[in-house]
Amino acid sequence: MLVESPPESNPGHPAAPDTGRRAGRHAVRAAGLLVSAAVLVLVCLASIAIGAKALPLSEVWHGLFHYSGTGGDVLVRDVRVPRTVLGLIVGAALGLAGAVMQALTRNPLAEPGLLGVNAGAAAAVVSAISFLGVTSLTGYVWFAFGGAAIVSVAVYLLGGSRSANPVRLALAGTAVTAALFGYVNAVQLLDAAALDRLRFWTVGSLASANTETVGKVWPFIALGVLLSLLIARPLNALEMGDDTARALGAHLTRTRVLAMVAVTLLCGAATAACGPIVFIGLMIPHLVRTITGPDMRWILPYAAVLAPVLLLGADVAGRVVARPSELQVGIVTALLGGPVFIHLVRRKRMAQL
């Protein structure tokens, strides 16, 4: 009597090795995500404990768990904790927005700052403050959403729409960004009140964070995060090209619309809260792909965890290197991101049109 070997011991059975390798990859990715989350927790603790003003760890602990409303307790509970929470959600928003944009445009250089999305939000907010007298964050958010959405569409059309390639989109985004930030600077120079209100916001800063800011932007960011995660599978198909995506059953128009809504929510809320912070959405997805491969179902969760690590780490570095003052986080990320952008352009051989 012949006895059939079990699949795992049958060398001629391809499914078992493939299944084993796939399970192994999933286990490694899951473990990596847990490690990334642990690193994020450590960076959050560092953001609370380390600042432009040095505090003993005993005072930090007291401010967290035995709040008295005086001295270092106020600095810890009312300044550093909201700043850390805002950096956490804004970092996740920017990392996810960059990953979604890169998949949507099939452009490895896509990023909210490079493609003008942040600049559009900034221009709309500056206009609202200077010409319409908007002073509340609630008002900023809606104008930021509108500016981000309009510029996203404009850059896509200027880049050639369906015939767009990475270089054309990057050039269109750079041109629009330069024009819009020229406009922002002109408005601020002509309006002293607007300049005073926006001098930190326009370079990207977490310094003005408070519980009110966090409370007003987190619902928009949470909705953008949810939309991004829901379209991970169709984004995988979209990255393979329109024809392949259709063959796999992806609904292209719906996926593109949902992706743009997600990016607008994420970038609009993040920019309204902190100002335009660049390069987070460019650097993190590239780093994540070296860990996860091209699967958006893993790229998006990793980006949501590692982008806040970079943003909060840059914020802590900015507080330390310029003591007793601070170097705004937008400046630190720009200093880090510029060389990374040049490296990616050279590595991908995208300098030639």
Side-chain angles (χ1 to χ4, degrees):
M1 183 176 65
L2 295 176
V3 179
E4 184 179 359
S5 324
E8 59 267 23
S9 64
N10 186 352
H13 197 295
D18 288 346
T19 303
R21 282 194 295 268
R22 194 158 47 242
R25 287 196 297 268
H26 286 325
V28 170
R29 290 167 177 169
L33 191 58
L34 289 175
V35 171
S36 300
V39 172
L40 177 58
V41 171
L42 293 176
V43 173
C44 288
L45 293 175
S47 177
I48 296 171
I50 301 171
K53 180 181 178 181
L55 287 177
L57 289 179
S58 59
E59 286 192 35
V60 175
W61 180 268
H62 192 276
L64 283 174
F65 300 105
H66 307 284
Y67 183 70
S68 64
T70 59
D73 289 3
V74 175
L75 179 61
V76 171
R77 181 75 70 86
D78 297 340
V79 177
R80 292 186 185 175
V81 169
R83 183 171 183 162
T84 300
V85 174
L86 187 63
L88 181 67
I89 61 176
V90 166
L94 295 175
L96 282 170
V100 171
M101 290 182 74
Q102 289 176 15
L104 180 66
T105 61
R106 296 193 289 276
N107 176 5
L109 301 182
E111 191 265 346
L114 291 175
L115 295 189
V117 180
N118 287 346
V125 170
V126 168
S127 300
I129 291 173
S130 185
F131 301 126
L132 301 178
V134 177
T135 58
S136 69
L137 180 64
T138 304
Y140 292 174
V141 168
W142 296 112
F143 281 94
F145 287 156
I150 291 170
V151 171
S152 297
V153 175
V155 168
Y156 184 64
L157 294 176
L158 289 172
S161 187
R162 291 182 179 275
S163 63
N165 60 49
V167 173
R168 292 179 67 177
L169 284 170
L171 290 175
T174 300
V176 170
T177 297
L180 289 175
F181 276 125
Y183 165 77
V184 168
N185 292 332
V187 170
Q188 290 183 92
L189 289 174
L190 295 173
D191 187 342
L195 175 61
D196 185 58
R197 286 194 295 270
L198 295 170
R199 57 198 175 99
F200 291 114
W201 183 86
T202 52
V203 297
S205 174
L206 297 173
S208 59
N210 54 48
T211 53
E212 181 186 8
T213 304
V214 174
K216 287 184 175 179
V217 301
W218 81 261
F220 301 103
I221 292 177
L223 182 56
V225 170
L226 179 62
L227 281 176
S228 300
L229 296 176
L230 287 175
I231 59 174
R233 187 181 294 273
L235 283 175
N236 273 340
L238 200 62
E239 281 191 307
M240 301 179 188
D242 289 2
D243 293 338
T244 303
R246 287 192 192 95
L248 293 173
H251 194 296
L252 300 186
T253 302
R254 181 174 60 198
T255 301
R256 288 192 173 106
V257 169
L258 290 176
M260 290 309 302
V261 170
V263 168
T264 300
L265 286 169
L266 294 168
C267 294
T271 304
C274 302
I277 298 175
V278 297
F279 288 124
I280 296 288
L282 174 69
M283 292 186 282
I284 290 300
H286 282 279
L287 170 64
V288 168
R289 284 190 184 92
T290 65
I291 303 170
T292 66
D295 191 343
M296 293 297 293
R297 293 171 297 178
W298 286 100
I299 289 173
L300 293 176
Y302 264 90
V305 173
L306 290 178
V309 171
L310 176 59
L311 183 62
L312 288 172
D315 188 45
V316 171
R319 295 183 230 171
V320 172
V321 299
R323 279 179 174 170
S325 185
E326 290 187 14
L327 191 62
Q328 303 305 317
V329 67
I331 298 173
V332 178
T333 59
L335 291 173
L336 292 173
V340 173
F341 177 65
I342 294 171
H343 168 70
L344 291 174
V345 170
R346 291 178 60 85
R347 190 187 69 179
K348 298 292 184 181
R349 297 181 181 178
M350 292 179 181
Q352 296 181 357
L353 291 174

